[in-house]
Amino acid sequence: MSAAAPGTTFIILMLPFLAALIAPWLTRRLGHNAAWLLALAPLAIFIHFLGFSAEVANREIVTGGFKWVPSYNVSFSWLIDGLSLTFVLLISGIGALIMLYSGGYLKGHENLGRFFSFMLLFMGAMLGLVVSDSFLMLFVFWELTSITSFLLIGFDHTREASRRAALQALVVTGGGGLALLAGLLVIWNITGVTQLSLLLILGDDLRLSPFYLLALLLVLGGAFSKSAQFPLHFWLPNAMEAPTPVSAFLHSATMVKAGVYLLMRLNPVLGDTVWWETILPVFGGTTLIVGTLLAIRQTDLKLMLAYTTVSSLGLLVMLTGFGSDYAISAAVLYLVAHSLFKGALFMVAGLIDHEAGTRDVTKLGGLRTAMPITFIAAMGAAISMGGLPPFFGFLAKEEVYYALWATDPWSLIFTLVAIIGNGLMFVIGFAVAIKPFFGPKVETPKHAHEGPVLLWLGPLTLTIVALIAAILSPFTHQMISSPMASAVAGTPETVTISLIPHIGAALALSLVTVVFGVLVYLKLDQARAAIDRVLIAIGWGPDRGFDQFISGIVRLSIAVTRIVQPGKLDVYMTVTFVMIAIALYAPMAWYGEWPSMPVWPADAQFHELAVFAIALVGLGAVIYARDRLTAIVSLGVQGFAVALLFMLFGAPDLSFTQFMVETLAVVILALVMTRLRLSASDHRSTRDKLIDMSVSLACGTGFGLYLLSVTQQPFNPYLSEFFAAYSKIVAHGTNVVNVILVDFRGTDTLGEIAVVMVTGLAVLSLIRIRSGFGNAAVADNDPDQREEAR
Amino acid sequence: MRTVIFRSIAPYLTSLMLLFSIFVLLRGHNEPGGGFIGGLIAASALAIYGIACGVAPVRRAIYFHPMGISAFGLLMGTVAGVLSVFAGVPFMTGLWVYPNLFGVEIALSSVLVFDIGVYLVVVGAISSIALALEERDRD
C-alpha cells in the first residue's frame, strides 16, 4: 500500500517544515487567509497517517526509514503503532484547526507570517518526536520542540514577561532534555540498541541491569520537566504569555504531552518495577492536587485552564505508573479526552478574550446570547472535562475509577486523590463554560459578538468529535483506544467501556465526584480566598525559586569571569602563547626526540633561494617597521613566500588558498588595527619587553623545531595513495584536495562552514557591541594618534 | 586610499574577480579551485570595492545582508547532504546526474550544490566581517 512507501512518509513528515519555509511569503500575499492553505499541511499528514490505521488496528507495528550514518548506527526511522498513531492524529488534526484559529486570532498582526512559521516548525518537531524510532532522532526532535516553543512563548518579544516565560520554559524543558539524552545513552549502553522497536522486546535486560535506576531517573527527569510535573510545573502556566493559539496547541496536543508520550512509550521497557510504580503515581498524584488547587485560585481563563493542564498531566503520569491494565486504558482514554476538551476550551478562552476584550472571569457574564456558537462549544467541552455523559471525558473518568478502586490502602489513597482532582477539574471546567455566559450581562471592554468562522470552527469541531467518539465508542476503541493501550502495555489490550453506566463502585465514585464538584463550585469565591491566604502564608514557590536559581548562576558566572577574564588583552596573549610554547616543547623534551640539525641543500635551485631571500627580507621588514600598517603588510610577505613554496613543490591548490588567505588576513588585520585606540610609541617597561621577547622566542623556536621534527619523520603514503586511487572512481573528480573537502569528508566540511558562519556572526556582534557603547568606536582614523583611554 | 585611479578601476576589478571566483568555484572538482578558495576571491573582490568606493555601495550592490548569504550557503550545504536520503544512501553521499543539454553532457551533482554552499558561506562571513570593520566612520 502507498502509505507504507518510506519516501512518501518521509516527505509527509517534512511537510510542516516546508510549509514553515513558505509561510511568511504566503502570508504577505494572502494575509490571514493564508491559514486556509497552510492548514492543508497538517491535514495532509492526518490523511496520510489515517492510511496506517487499518494495520495499526490489527496491532501491527509499521516501521520504516532510512539509514543515515550506518557507522554510528544513526538512522531516520519511524515506528507507528497505536500510541504514535494516536498522537500523530491528535497533533495533525488539532494542528490543522489551530492553524485556522491562528489566522482568525492574529488577523492583521504584523508578524503573522512568522507566527505561522513557528507554529508549523513546532508541529513538525512534535510529529517527528512521536514517530521516531531511533533514540537520536527522538532526542533531536525533543529538543527541537523546546526550541520552537521558546520561539512561540516569546513571540511577543517586546514584553519582558514573555521573554522571561520563554527563557524559563527553555531552561526547564531543555535541561530536562539533556537528562533524557543521558538516560537514553545509559539505555543504549545497557541494551546495545538504538531503535525503540528493538528496545521494546529487551525490557528484561534493562530492568535487571544495575544501572536501571540511573536510566529511569534520567529519563524521568526529561519526561517530568517536559510534562510539567510538580515541582517543575511552574513554567507551564507562565507559558500563557504566548498568544492563545499557541497555548491551545501546546496544551491539547503537543509539547506538554511529550513527557507523557515518553513514559507511555517506555512503559513496556522501564515499567512494572517497584520504582516505576512508586515514583510515577506519587509525583503524578501530587501534581494533580497541586495543579487543581492552584487553578481554583485563578480568575484569568487561560491560567485556570493552564493549571488544570498541569493536573491532567499529573493524572496521566499517575495512571501510567499505577501498573494495572485498567489504569493504562484509563490513561489512554483520558489523554484523548483531554486533548479534545482542553484544545476546545483554550480556543474558547481566546475567543472570549478576542471578542469581549478580557479574560478575567469576574469581569465577564451574560455572553450566551451574544456568542451562541462559542457557548455551545464551551458547554460541550466543559461537560467532557467534568466527566459527564454523553462526551468522551465521561468514558475516561469512569475508566479511571475502574482502574483505581480497590480496598488496599495504596489504591484508596489514589482513589481519593482522583476524586479531589476530578472534582476540582469539574469546577474549573464549568467555571470557564458557565461564568462568562450566564448571569446578567456585564459591560465588557469590547462589545461582544460572535467571532468569525476561523475562530469558532476549531472549538466546535473538537467538541463534536468528543461527542461522536463517545457515542460510537466501540468503533473508537477498535481504531484508537485498544491499539494505543496495547502499545503502552506491551501486551494486547481491549478497551470496552461505553456510555451506558455500569452500576457499581465506579458509578458511585462518579456521583461523589460530581457532588463534591458542585459544592465547591457554589463556594468558589470562598475557596479561592482560602487558597490565596495559604499561598500568601507560604510566600515562596518554585517560580520564585527559579528566579533565585538563575540569578545565582549569573552571579557565579560573573565571579568566574572575573577570575578567568580580567579584561586585559596582554594577559590573555601571554597566557595563550606560554601555553602554546609549553605544548610545543613538552612532548619533545619528554620523549627526548629533538630534531636533528637540518642540512643546507647542496642542490638548491636559484628560485628556491629567491623565495628564502624574500622571506628573510619580509622578516627584517616586520622587525624594523616603524608603524603597524607596514609591519602587517611585511608579515604578509612571509605568507606569500610560503605560498610560493607550495606552488614550486606541486601544490597549486594550497598555494592558491594561501595567497587568498594571506591577502585577506592583511586586509582584515589592517582594518582591525586602524580601529583600535593604540598609543604611538612603545610604553612597555624593560621588564615587560624582556618577558614578551622570551615568550615570542620560545614560541618561534618551538614551532620551528616542531616543523623540523615533523618533516624528518618518514612519510606515510597510505592516505595519499588511497585518495589518488579512489577520487576519480568514487567521487568523479580529479582534484584530490577538493574531492576530499566536498565528498570524502563532506560532513566535516559542513561542520567547518558552520564554524565559519558562527565566527562571522560572533565577530559581527563583537564589533556592534563595541560601537554600541558610547559613541563611535574610534573617532580618528589615524592609528598613530594617541587617544584618551576610555 | 581613495585615489581617482583606484576608484575608477575598482568596479571593473571587482566584477572581474567575482567572475573569476565563480570560474574557480565551478572547475574546483577537477582543477585547482573550489568553493572555499572561490569564496575567498569573491570576498576580497568585495573588500577591494569597499575600500575604493565605501561600504554603502557594496551593501547596495550585494542587496542581501552578507550574513544572510552565509546562512543561505549553510542551508544549501545541509540540503545537499540531506538529498541523499531520497536515494536511500547515507548522509552526504554524492549524487550525480548527467543531463544532456544542447548535445553537451553536463555533470551535475549534489557535491556541486554543496560546494556552492561553501562558497556562499565563505563570501558571506568574510565580507560581513570586512564590511563591518570598514564601516567604522559611520557607525
Side-chain angles (χ1 to χ4, degrees):
Chain A
M1 79 185 273
S2 68
T8 325
T9 303
F10 177 74
I11 293 170
I12 287 283
L13 284 173
M14 288 299 118
L15 216 48
F17 297 105
L18 297 178
L21 272 181
I22 62 162
W25 174 78
L26 212 57
T27 313
R28 266 204 299 282
R29 304 297 293 272
L30 299 174
H32 70 280
N33 281 320
W36 294 104
L37 281 180
L38 292 174
L40 291 177
L43 191 68
I45 297 166
F46 188 82
I47 291 169
H48 175 78
F49 277 93
L50 268 187
F52 288 109
S53 57
E55 289 156 85
V56 169
N58 287 332
R59 317 286 152 84
E60 283 174 38
I61 296 178
V62 187
T63 54
F66 304 99
K67 283 197 184 327
W68 257 29
V69 191
S71 43
Y72 285 111
N73 225 346
V74 174
S75 61
F76 188 99
S77 51
W78 50 85
L79 157 88
I80 295 161
D81 60 1
L83 178 61
S84 33
L85 184 66
T86 308
F87 264 95
V88 168
L89 295 181
L90 284 175
I91 295 164
S92 55
I94 296 181
L97 295 171
I98 297 274
M99 286 309 289
L100 297 179
Y101 182 79
S102 311
Y105 190 82
L106 290 172
K107 180 181 172 184
H109 193 288
E110 50 174 345
N111 289 330
L112 182 60
R114 188 190 299 173
F115 182 80
F116 280 141
S117 269
F118 289 169
M119 276 303 247
L120 286 160
L121 285 177
F122 185 42
M123 194 182 295
M126 199 57 212
L127 283 167
L129 167 59
V130 295
V131 299
S132 294
D133 186 14
S134 115
F135 287 177
L136 263 169
M137 186 175 148
L138 179 97
F139 171 73
V140 168
F141 280 114
W142 179 279
E143 292 293 53
L144 199 55
T145 61
S146 293
I147 294 167
T148 46
S149 71
F150 170 78
L151 294 173
L152 282 170
I153 296 170
F155 181 68
D156 198 1
H157 57 83
T158 48
R159 284 179 43 240
E160 163 88 48
S162 292
R163 294 201 302 271
R164 173 176 181 261
L167 183 70
Q168 195 179 49
L170 185 68
V171 168
V172 175
T173 61
L178 293 181
L180 173 68
L181 178 64
L184 292 177
L185 291 178
V186 172
I187 292 179
W188 184 5
N189 244 314
I190 297 172
T191 59
V193 297
T194 56
Q195 308 284 105
L196 285 169
S197 46
L198 297 176
L199 181 68
L200 291 178
I201 48 175
L202 292 174
D204 285 332
D205 291 7
L206 202 57
R207 280 188 291 263
L208 296 176
S209 155
F211 295 110
Y212 165 77
L213 187 61
L214 179 68
L216 176 70
L217 290 179
L218 288 170
V219 168
L220 289 185
F224 281 8
S225 70
K226 204 76 159 182
S227 277
Q229 295 299 298
F230 182 83
L232 297 173
H233 64 278
F234 53 90
W235 68 266
L236 200 154
N238 287 345
M240 291 299 100
E241 297 294 339
T244 306
V246 179
S247 317
F249 197 38
L250 201 78
H251 286 240
S252 56
T254 55
M255 188 170 99
V256 299
K257 289 221 173 75
V260 175
Y261 165 79
L262 186 72
L263 295 179
M264 288 182 159
R265 171 55 79 215
L266 294 178
N267 180 48
V269 192
L270 289 175
D272 211 14
T273 62
V274 180
W275 289 108
W276 178 271
E277 290 178 3
T278 314
I279 299 176
L280 262 65
V282 167
F283 275 89
T286 316
T287 310
L288 172 61
I289 300 292
V290 169
T292 43
L293 288 177
L294 290 172
I296 296 282
R297 180 181 159 237
Q298 303 297 331
T299 56
D300 181 314
L301 289 176
K302 268 176 82 176
L303 282 176
M304 290 159 74
L305 292 171
Y307 278 107
T308 52
T309 303
V310 172
S311 45
S312 298
L313 294 169
L315 179 60
L316 286 171
V317 169
M318 179 175 118
L319 289 169
T320 309
F322 201 71
S324 69
D325 293 345
Y326 269 128
I328 283 171
S329 306
V332 164
L333 291 171
Y334 191 82
L335 188 134
V336 175
H338 177 257
S339 295
L340 295 174
F341 69 66
K342 193 50 71 67
L345 283 176
F346 260 113
M347 288 197 254
V348 164
L351 241 172
I352 295 175
D353 187 20
H354 199 258
E355 299 306 325
T358 178
R359 289 198 307 253
D360 193 328
V361 77
T362 56
K363 295 187 185 132
L364 289 164
L367 291 175
R368 189 181 54 217
T369 46
M371 305 173 74
I373 304 177
T374 314
F375 170 61
I376 292 171
M379 265 329 267
I383 293 172
S384 191
M385 182 168 171
L388 300 180
F391 285 88
F392 204 69
F394 173 73
L395 305 185
K397 196 199 57 187
E398 292 293 288
E399 191 82 359
V400 169
Y401 288 133
Y402 266 119
L404 295 181
W405 175 251
T407 46
D408 61 297
W410 180 251
S411 306
L412 275 179
I413 292 172
F414 286 105
T415 309
L416 193 66
V417 165
I419 290 176
I420 297 175
N422 272 327
L424 293 179
M425 274 201 264
F426 173 96
V427 175
I428 300 291
F430 281 100
V432 172
I434 290 181
K435 294 236 157 166
F437 293 101
F438 283 94
K441 185 131 178 57
V442 177
E443 205 48 53
T444 48
K446 280 205 228 160
H447 183 69
H449 54 78
E450 191 57 76
V453 58
L454 278 171
L455 283 179
W456 55 253
L457 190 66
L460 195 66
T461 311
L462 291 184
T463 305
I464 292 172
V465 169
L467 180 65
I468 294 175
I471 293 172
L472 302 177
S473 57
F475 178 71
T476 317
H477 293 330
Q478 191 203 334
M479 299 308 286
I480 299 282
S481 323
S482 303
M484 185 170 163
S486 312
V488 178
T491 48
E493 298 285 333
T494 312
V495 181
T496 52
I497 189 131
S498 74
L499 273 181
I500 303 146
H502 304 267
I503 309 297
L507 187 65
L509 292 171
S510 289
L511 289 176
V512 173
T513 310
V514 172
V515 170
F516 172 65
V518 171
L519 284 178
V520 176
Y521 184 81
L522 295 176
K523 300 274 177 202
L524 186 56
D525 291 335
Q526 285 96 316
R528 188 176 292 148
I531 292 170
D532 254 349
R533 276 198 299 279
V534 173
L535 284 180
I536 290 168
I538 298 173
W540 200 89
D543 196 25
R544 270 194 60 199
F546 174 81
D547 282 344
Q548 285 163 355
F549 172 71
I550 291 291
S551 68
I553 289 215
V554 169
R555 256 187 312 222
L556 178 73
S557 75
I558 289 173
V560 171
T561 309
R562 214 171 276 149
I563 296 166
V564 298
Q565 293 191 2
K568 290 206 171 76
L569 190 60
D570 50 348
V571 175
Y572 299 163
M573 300 292 264
T574 313
V575 169
T576 312
F577 283 112
V578 166
M579 293 314 291
I580 289 176
I582 292 172
L584 288 169
Y585 270 104
M588 285 189 278
W590 182 262
Y591 295 106
E593 289 182 2
W594 302 96
S596 52
M597 190 64 197
V599 279
W600 186 258
D603 56 342
Q605 303 284 315
F606 172 71
H607 54 261
E608 292 167 18
L609 292 175
V611 172
F612 188 66
I614 292 174
L616 276 183
V617 170
L619 188 65
V622 175
I623 295 171
Y624 288 105
R626 296 310 305 167
D627 65 299
R628 286 187 192 87
L629 206 59
T630 318
I632 292 166
V633 175
S634 319
L635 194 62
V637 173
Q638 310 295 313
F640 281 116
V642 174
L644 274 177
L645 276 184
F646 284 144
M647 197 183 267
L648 291 176
F649 290 97
D653 255 301
L654 277 178
S655 96
F656 214 174
T657 313
Q658 175 77 21
F659 273 124
M660 289 321 299
V661 169
E662 210 48 53
T663 312
L664 280 167
V666 168
V667 168
I668 288 180
L669 255 178
L671 288 171
V672 171
M673 280 300 174
T674 49
R675 274 181 84 96
L676 293 176
R677 297 163 197 255
L678 296 168
S679 49
S681 52
D682 200 338
H683 286 295
R684 289 176 297 179
S685 61
T686 318
R687 188 170 147 268
D688 283 351
K689 277 183 184 166
L690 276 176
I691 293 174
D692 289 356
M693 198 177 77
S694 44
V695 169
S696 55
L697 272 178
C699 276
T701 51
F703 269 112
L705 290 173
Y706 183 70
L707 279 176
L708 268 182
S709 60
V710 166
T711 48
Q712 282 169 5
Q713 298 295 319
F715 179 67
N716 180 351
Y718 173 73
L719 277 178
S720 32
E721 274 167 9
F722 170 86
F723 285 121
Y726 287 99
S727 70
K728 182 68 186 161
I729 302 164
V730 179
H732 309 269
T734 47
N735 176 4
V736 177
V737 176
N738 196 277
V739 163
I740 294 172
L741 279 178
V742 297
D743 202 299
F744 284 111
R745 309 210 62 91
T747 315
D748 284 0
T749 310
L750 185 65
E752 281 153 20
I753 59 174
V755 170
V756 169
M757 204 196 101
V758 172
T759 313
L761 273 177
V763 171
L764 207 56
S765 49
L766 279 176
I767 297 171
R768 290 278 152 78
I769 287 172
R770 193 170 151 74
S771 41
F773 281 119
N775 36 26
V778 180
D780 200 324
N781 276 348
D782 189 0
D784 291 337
Q785 177 141 19
R786 179 126 194 248
E787 290 275 339
E788 205 60 321
R790 215 164 16 146
Chain B
M1 293 275 240
R2 296 193 192 164
T3 61
V4 174
I5 295 173
F6 188 32
R7 246 194 348 243
S8 323
I9 291 178
Y12 301 100
L13 191 61
T14 302
S15 30
L16 271 178
M17 282 176 77
L18 284 176
L19 207 63
F20 181 63
S21 75
I22 293 170
F23 165 72
V24 165
L25 157 72
L26 292 181
R27 73 176 204 153
H29 212 58
N30 291 316
E31 305 283 336
F36 189 77
I37 178 67
L40 289 177
I41 295 175
S44 24
L46 294 176
I48 287 177
Y49 192 35
I51 293 170
C53 305
V55 173
V58 182
R59 291 210 191 269
R60 266 202 307 281
I62 57 177
Y63 188 74
F64 298 104
H65 191 282
M67 241 28 244
I69 296 177
S70 190
F72 182 75
L74 192 56
L75 180 72
M76 239 177 122
T78 317
V79 167
V82 174
L83 280 180
S84 59
V85 98
F86 295 103
V89 288
F91 184 68
M92 272 288 172
T93 308
L95 304 170
W96 290 79
V97 285
Y98 299 95
N100 219 321
L101 212 66
F102 308 117
V104 182
E105 196 187 63
I106 299 173
L108 293 179
S109 60
S110 66
V111 172
L112 182 64
V113 178
F114 183 73
D115 220 6
I116 296 173
V118 174
Y119 174 87
L120 292 176
V121 169
V122 174
V123 182
I126 305 276
S127 52
S128 176
I129 297 171
L131 290 179
L133 284 169
E134 278 178 53
E135 232 163 9
R136 61 171 182 272
D137 296 336
R138 282 163 298 279
D139 56 6

